Amino acid sequence: MEADFTHFPLQMWEKVLSKVKKAVVFMDDKCAEALHWSGGAAALLEAGAKNLKQFSSFEACSVNEPKAVFVVSTLLKGRTIDIIKDIISLSHFQYCVVFTTVAHSVHLLANNVTTEMEGSPVFEQFEEKLCEWMGNMNYTAEVMHVPVVFAPVSQQLLLTPTFAHLFPLLSPDLDTVNAKRPEKKRFGSLVDIDMNSLPIELQLEIKHLASALNSMFEATGTREESFAVGPMSRIIAGELANHPQAKNRRKTAPNKASIIFIDRTMDLTGAVGHHGDNLVEKILTVLKPLPGHVTDVQVDMLELTSLQHTPDSLNILAPGCLAQAESSTARSLWEAMLTSKQKEGVMEVRRQLVEAASKEKLPIKMSMGRVTPEQLCSYTRLFRSSWGALESHCGVLQLGLATAQTLRHPSLPRWDACLAFERLLLQALGDSDFPTVLRQLLPLMKPREDEGTSGSGRAEEECGPDELVLLLVYLYSLADEAQSADLDTEEEQLEKLERELIGALTLVITRETQLSPLLQKLTGCTDPEELTTERAHSAMEDMFETLRGLSHTRDHLKQLRSVYTASDGVHQANYHSFLRQVLEEVFHPDRLECPDIEHMSGGLTDLLKTGFSMFMKVSRPHPSDNPLLFLFLVGGVTPAELRLIKELVSAHKPGTQVLVLSTRLLRPTDIAELLFTTQRLAPDIGV
């Protein structure tokens, strides 16, 4: 059952909780984020932990704190070991427990040991090191692997914060890989790259992920058939299929499931587009992220207090958030916000607030019609007067405040401006060649007016640099859909136009008075003062280098090659989600075989089946054979896609259980960050 899988992360945390009594716990950001969705710090403190601290060389413990527990998402090598050593040498521990999410088999590979070994020699050696650092070999040290990598964000979604920056490779990555290979052995396309040709950091990251998935299937007694769409997905699925422990598990496991890995790069249009019509997508976009988190955001709790709104009051009050593990009412409200249309989500928020106020007999003024942010705030303010009411409904109140703060956020109108522009671009693609459509972005690329000077108050609706970058990704991901013109002249026009766009964007960025998080990452500058024109220009050139390859990500596919439906005179041109196409293939009543959904649970039996199929009819495994289907989106999933999956399943095959796994829950700007500012070939594995 899918409930077994959303319960799996909690089971894994139980192992950690069993060791934290009377200990100070040091935890890195990625594990802290996974815990945040599985009960948070409260779970540790209830299990008897004395304190929770950041995993950092600047932290330590006093004499009366003899026990420490470390929880890390990295290999016990390099930087991770240095930090543990620093903390121990500044403290007075007599008992240390280290949990790593990286399996022992991956530690062996990281230490260049390719043979299978009995026991856990790497962990045992590290236990001795810990005793050495504590200053007495008779003190106690334990080192173990526990895969606390999954965050149960909703009943149908598990995220892996540890792998938030894992993203399918792009054409510039192919050039980097090829640059290190002899000419005759260079790869023609991303599809040809195999696991062994990847840099060692990325190989270890993929093996870490495959081993975490294997642990989950092992704990739930699952025998999975793996399928893959996209080059990175093939490598991950292949790793899982060939995982040494997985082979034994698949012989005996009683429960069957299918897992389809899908590369995010198969559909970038859907990830940067603003057509989602989803409340959570907007909340994630406009509210600031919680420090150290990839998914959750900060909710301002001022409305629930009688503090005045001053710059100081922001620092007094801890922020609220979206993860509400404690209250079942808040959890079901969160599910509704995540998987329904914006209007329905907002109505549900109001309904729950009204219900909570009535339960507590608070003097609520009922109002029908449109839900306004003022109305939601006035409902939450009623709870100020009663501490008991505030405590009982804290979860629903935080989600209500997040909704109100998003609906009245000054940058929200830009969302609709982007949506309107994307619709225009979609229509234009059916009528013109690519340079002509791209040229339509030029007039938008002008420095923003100062809020003070624009009398019309349009400054908020104008697209800023972040939105312009997203529109470029949107358009380049659809470049192949444009009408084709004469290739040579088109190539020439495009080069000239790109130079103009780079120049215009450079000007826009250098005129910004504040750099957004995306611009800071793109340019490597935090302060507009230090941003030179040269720096901005070279960042834009690199960005266009990546943009040019985006329209070729589906070139290797035979059937699912497009996410665009042209206008037929009656209907407008529109975007046709790749995920929808995959699921329509999977749930097709005729069980058609789709050449693009590749079966990966390889091995000898599969080869034999293929051989026999020349002579007799052998049915190959199909993703819809099993009652449980996993979709693993490598590189992120959007809230709109979660709703789409839910709708498609109930329309096509209501009995099937579908669970979504992904590296992160996307907001549109995340994609720009993953495309242009992430070291995809060299993930940070803590070494």
Side-chain angles (χ1 to χ4, degrees):
M1 296 290 287
E2 57 186 54
D4 299 337
F5 291 90
T6 44
H7 187 62
F8 170 73
L10 305 172
Q11 281 175 304
M12 292 302 106
W13 278 107
E14 284 302 324
K15 294 184 181 181
V16 177
L17 297 179
S18 69
K19 293 283 183 185
V20 300
K21 198 170 182 183
K22 294 186 176 168
V24 174
V25 181
F26 295 87
M27 195 178 293
D28 69 15
D29 285 352
K30 289 170 174 176
C31 290
E33 181 162 8
L35 176 64
H36 176 72
W37 293 93
S38 303
L44 284 174
L45 299 171
E46 279 161 25
K50 275 183 158 183
N51 199 352
L52 174 60
K53 296 189 175 196
Q54 195 169 13
F55 181 65
S56 148
S57 294
F58 300 101
E59 293 285 2
C61 286
S62 60
V63 184
N64 59 354
E65 295 171 317
K67 181 180 175 187
V69 173
F70 298 92
V71 189
V72 295
S73 59
T74 46
L75 280 164
L76 300 176
K77 269 179 83 97
R79 195 176 71 228
T80 306
I81 284 194
D82 293 341
I83 296 174
I84 293 177
K85 186 179 179 183
D86 289 342
I87 295 172
I88 292 176
S89 47
L90 292 169
S91 308
H92 306 267
F93 300 135
Q94 297 170 21
Y95 184 5
C96 276
V97 185
V98 176
F99 289 103
T100 168
T101 61
V102 186
H104 187 262
S105 56
V106 182
H107 276 86
L108 286 176
L109 282 168
N111 291 307
N112 300 324
V113 180
T114 46
T115 50
E116 291 284 306
M117 292 182 88
E118 285 298 303
S120 312
V122 181
F123 291 171
E124 286 156 22
Q125 280 173 6
F126 192 51
E127 285 171 359
E128 285 179 20
K129 272 263 173 35
L130 292 169
C131 289
E132 214 174 285
W133 296 334
M134 287 190 280
N136 186 331
M137 296 313 278
N138 295 324
Y139 285 165
T140 314
E142 297 174 64
V143 177
M144 58 197 97
H145 160 237
V146 59
V148 284
V149 297
F150 296 102
V153 171
S154 84
Q155 285 168 0
Q156 64 163 117
L157 175 67
L158 286 176
L159 294 183
T160 57
T162 312
F163 304 101
H165 295 282
L166 181 67
F167 199 73
L169 302 180
L170 300 163
S171 47
D173 303 317
L174 176 66
D175 300 338
T176 310
V177 170
N178 276 338
K180 294 185 176 155
R181 297 177 68 81
E183 198 145 327
K184 286 185 176 162
K185 291 193 172 174
R186 290 192 177 159
F187 298 111
S189 77
L190 288 166
V191 188
D192 307 327
I193 296 182
D194 57 356
M195 179 71 159
N196 297 328
S197 330
L198 297 174
I200 186 68
E201 298 95 330
L202 185 53
Q203 287 190 41
L204 292 169
E205 181 93 330
I206 290 170
K207 285 182 185 292
H208 182 184
L209 174 59
S211 104
L213 287 167
N214 179 62
S215 303
M216 179 168 74
F217 289 142
E218 206 156 88
T220 48
T222 306
R223 178 161 94 240
E224 86 288 357
E225 291 286 355
S226 298
F227 301 85
V229 187
M232 179 63 100
S233 288
R234 280 179 62 187
I235 292 177
I236 297 171
E239 266 313 300
L240 179 62
N242 296 316
H243 192 280
Q245 282 127 16
K247 290 175 182 169
N248 300 333
R249 166 175 55 78
R250 279 195 289 268
K251 283 177 194 155
T252 56
N255 309 311
K256 287 176 142 186
S258 304
I259 179 166
I260 307 177
F261 292 88
I262 301 173
D263 280 5
R264 178 73 262 174
T265 43
M266 297 297 102
D267 183 359
L268 293 168
T269 320
V272 289
H274 292 73
H275 46 251
D277 188 20
N278 178 280
L279 177 58
V280 172
E281 215 158 16
K282 293 179 182 174
I283 292 175
L284 296 178
T285 299
V286 302
L287 299 186
K288 285 192 174 116
L290 272 176
H293 285 245
V294 176
T295 303
D296 211 343
V297 293
Q298 304 182 43
V299 180
D300 184 355
M301 305 286 273
L302 203 66
E303 300 278 354
L304 298 176
T305 69
S306 40
L307 286 171
Q308 293 302 310
H309 206 302
T310 64
D312 297 337
S313 61
L314 294 174
N315 301 327
I316 297 171
L317 214 52
C321 61
L322 302 173
Q324 301 298 335
E326 299 301 304
S327 131
S328 56
T329 327
R331 268 209 312 271
S332 66
L333 172 57
W334 166 246
E335 298 278 343
M337 290 162 68
L338 191 59
T339 57
S340 50
K341 292 189 168 178
Q342 179 174 335
K343 191 177 175 185
E344 294 156 15
V346 173
M347 299 284 275
E348 185 58 23
V349 170
R350 174 168 72 181
R351 195 181 72 74
Q352 292 280 10
L353 284 172
V354 169
E355 211 166 276
S358 320
K359 233 183 229 165
E360 299 293 339
K361 302 191 171 49
L362 296 169
I364 194 157
K365 284 194 182 72
M366 285 300 293
S367 56
M368 301 311 288
R370 244 179 96 238
V371 183
T372 64
E374 293 69 39
Q375 186 189 57
L376 295 177
C377 283
S378 72
Y379 291 166
T380 53
R381 269 187 231 117
L382 296 170
F383 289 81
R384 275 185 196 176
S385 53
S386 154
W387 183 245
L390 220 165
E391 204 169 1
S392 327
H393 303 284
C394 195
V396 170
L397 290 171
Q398 287 175 65
L399 295 172
L401 284 170
T403 304
Q405 285 158 30
T406 299
L407 295 178
R408 67 170 182 221
H409 199 279
S411 70
L412 198 61
R414 274 185 236 158
W415 186 282
D416 297 331
C418 284
L419 176 61
F421 213 83
E422 285 160 10
R423 285 185 176 150
L424 287 173
L425 294 173
L426 276 180
Q427 304 315 316
L429 280 167
D431 309 326
S432 327
D433 59 10
F434 184 62
T436 311
V437 184
L438 190 57
R439 186 168 290 283
Q440 299 192 12
L441 288 181
L442 254 182
L444 294 184
M445 305 224 173
K446 50 184 195 294
R448 272 195 276 202
E449 298 176 27
D450 292 335
E451 271 79 356
T453 57
S454 63
S456 61
R458 285 192 53 76
E460 287 306 348
E461 284 176 44
E462 278 182 22
C463 287
D466 286 19
E467 288 80 19
L468 295 173
V469 169
L470 295 182
L471 285 170
L472 281 167
V473 175
Y474 187 83
L475 197 46
Y476 270 89
S477 70
L478 293 166
D480 275 8
E481 308 295 349
Q483 298 303 307
S484 47
D486 173 26
L487 271 179
D488 294 341
T489 54
E490 185 172 326
E491 198 53 39
E492 213 171 290
Q493 275 180 316
L494 191 57
E495 265 182 45
K496 187 166 167 275
L497 179 57
E498 281 179 350
R499 281 200 299 275
E500 281 180 64
L501 287 165
I502 289 171
L505 257 179
T506 303
L507 185 64
V508 169
I509 291 172
T510 47
R511 291 278 180 85
E512 285 288 287
T513 49
Q514 253 183 332
L515 297 178
S516 69
L518 174 63
L519 289 184
Q520 291 181 22
K521 287 182 179 146
L522 268 175
T523 58
C525 298
T526 46
D527 185 5
E529 298 294 309
E530 57 184 273
L531 178 59
T532 60
T533 308
E534 292 75 33
R535 227 166 154 172
H537 195 270
S538 101
M540 291 303 101
E541 284 183 326
D542 293 347
M543 185 175 90
F544 272 84
E545 193 62 39
T546 304
L547 281 170
R548 284 182 203 113
L550 297 187
S551 62
H552 300 299
T553 53
R554 288 184 297 274
D555 283 1
H556 65 285
L557 299 180
K558 297 179 177 69
Q559 187 179 331
L560 311 173
R561 290 180 63 101
S562 170
V563 292
Y564 175 78
T565 315
S567 163
D568 56 4
V570 182
H571 306 98
Q572 287 195 321
N574 64 26
Y575 153 75
H576 186 41
S577 161
F578 186 80
L579 197 55
R580 175 187 287 277
Q581 297 177 55
V582 169
L583 287 175
E584 281 170 350
E585 287 296 324
V586 170
F587 295 136
H588 198 288
D590 302 341
R591 281 185 85 252
L592 301 172
E593 213 173 281
C594 174
D596 298 330
I597 305 173
E598 203 176 332
H599 179 241
M600 293 297 295
S601 302
L604 188 62
T605 46
D606 236 43
L607 287 171
L608 289 174
K609 272 186 197 170
T610 317
F612 282 132
S613 65
M614 292 176 172
F615 309 107
M616 51 205 277
K617 192 150 179 54
V618 174
S619 73
R620 304 192 65 154
H622 190 272
S624 66
D625 290 345
N626 300 315
L628 180 58
L629 171 66
F630 289 94
L631 293 171
F632 193 119
L633 287 118
V634 181
V637 63
T638 67
E641 287 168 336
L642 295 174
R643 183 178 86 229
L644 173 95
I645 293 165
K646 193 175 155 187
E647 287 170 358
L648 276 170
V649 173
S650 60
H652 289 280
K653 210 170 179 193
T656 314
Q657 298 190 63
V658 176
L659 193 68
V660 183
L661 299 163
S662 189
T663 47
R664 63 201 287 165
L665 186 61
L666 291 168
R667 32 175 98 64
T669 43
D670 287 346
I671 285 292
E673 206 176 291
L674 291 160
L675 292 178
F676 309 124
T677 71
T678 303
Q679 296 282 329
R680 288 177 296 274
L681 284 169
D684 179 6
I685 53 172
V687 174

